[in-house]
Amino acid sequence: MVNNFMEWLITEGPVPYEAALAFMEKRVGEIRSGEADEAVCLLEHPPLYTAGTSADPADLLDPERFPVHTAGRGGQYTYHGPGQRVAYAMIDLKGRGNDVRAYVHDLEEWIIRTLKRVGVTGERREGRIGIWVTHPDGREDKVAALGVRVRRWVTFHGIAINVNPDLGHFDGIVPCGIEEYGVTSLADLGLGVTMAEIDEHLRAAFAEVFEVPLPVPQGFVIR
């Protein structure tokens, strides 16, 4: 049975990665024990790199540039920083068919529908994790990333959409181990979308994809 109540938590200011990870770890345990509801937490991080379980050390091109954190999620190296909306989703899959593959597909769909609301066509690509856009000249760039971890059927980590980050910060890694393609953002695509606007689109698209009532946003602090 799907829990229709979802906490929608929005933080202010950059959140240290260790604090966010500790929050997720605690919340996952509470969801599993029935002490807390499912939750989505929207935040930004200070500039940093994270290494997933498949990260290749050779893809960390500039290890001294920003702090590097072991994430525990699937995937390879990725960047987080100001101007990027990170959404960590703590969802109980036991009420959703115990299907991790379907959950990842839903995360992708969540991003695609969010982007559609600002006039951007985001697409999946076989063999390439993330959501991609095609430029008029045919070039393809990644505009959003995703990575998940599941513990006893409760998910954590989630998605990241490049709203207006410093794209030069991606140069210190091979994002997700993919060298042949670049990274873009909504600002790079010529869209002046604010973080508050993208948050509203994320909220509406989430309700559609995960078939829950429109979540009520709450201010939240992670220390």
Side-chain angles (χ1 to χ4, degrees), residues 2-9 27 31 37-40 89-92 96 206 210 212-218:
V2 175
N3 175 11
N4 282 328
F5 185 78
M6 182 79 55
E7 283 201 295
W8 193 262
L9 311 173
R27 188 59 175 256
I31 293 170
D37 292 300
E38 297 173 312
V40 172
M90 289 141 279
I91 308 295
D92 188 355
R96 300 176 186 276
F206 186 92
F210 288 91
V212 296
L214 189 66
V216 177
Q218 306 172 52

Side-chain angles (χ1 to χ4, degrees), residues 39-110:
V40 172
C41 187
L42 305 184
L43 52 80
E44 293 175 85
H45 286 302
L48 58 91
Y49 298 129
T50 65
T53 54
S54 302
D56 182 346
D59 289 340
L60 182 58
L61 306 179
D62 190 353
E64 303 302 321
R65 187 168 190 180
F66 298 125
V68 181
H69 298 270
T70 300
R73 55 159 175 79
Q76 302 184 47
Y77 283 104
T78 192
Y79 165 78
H80 292 313
Q84 182 189 68
R85 179 48 97 206
V86 175
Y88 290 134
M90 289 141 279
I91 308 295
D92 188 355
L93 295 185
K94 291 194 76 173
R96 300 176 186 276
N98 289 16
D99 192 332
V100 177
R101 187 182 297 271
Y103 173 68
V104 171
H105 187 275
D106 285 344
L107 289 181
E108 294 171 337
E109 187 65 23
W110 180 23

Side-chain angles (χ1 to χ4, degrees), residues 177-218:
I178 301 173
E179 297 183 278
E180 303 89 342
Y181 301 92
V183 178
T184 191
S185 67
L186 299 184
D188 189 49
L189 295 171
L191 298 171
V193 181
T194 68
M195 200 64 77
E197 289 170 338
I198 205 70
D199 286 353
E200 284 303 295
H201 297 315
L202 279 165
R203 190 165 67 103
F206 186 92
E208 291 176 358
V209 172
F210 288 91
E211 299 180 340
V212 296
L214 189 66
V216 177
Q218 306 172 52

Side-chain angles (χ1 to χ4, degrees), residues 9-21:
L9 311 173
I10 304 177
T11 68
E12 294 289 340
V15 176
Y17 190 77
E18 300 94 330
L21 191 59

Side-chain angles (χ1 to χ4, degrees), residues 121-161:
T121 301
E123 298 175 317
R124 300 175 178 88
R125 289 290 181 267
E126 186 69 30
R128 281 189 256 149
I129 192 70
I131 298 299
W132 301 78
V133 296
T134 303
H135 297 277
D137 62 4
R139 290 182 300 113
E140 294 183 11
D141 286 330
K142 178 185 284 190
V143 70
L146 64 150
V148 302
R149 186 173 181 183
V150 180
R151 178 179 297 154
R152 298 179 69 187
W153 296 112
V154 180
T155 73
F156 51 129
H157 298 280
I159 69 172
I161 296 177

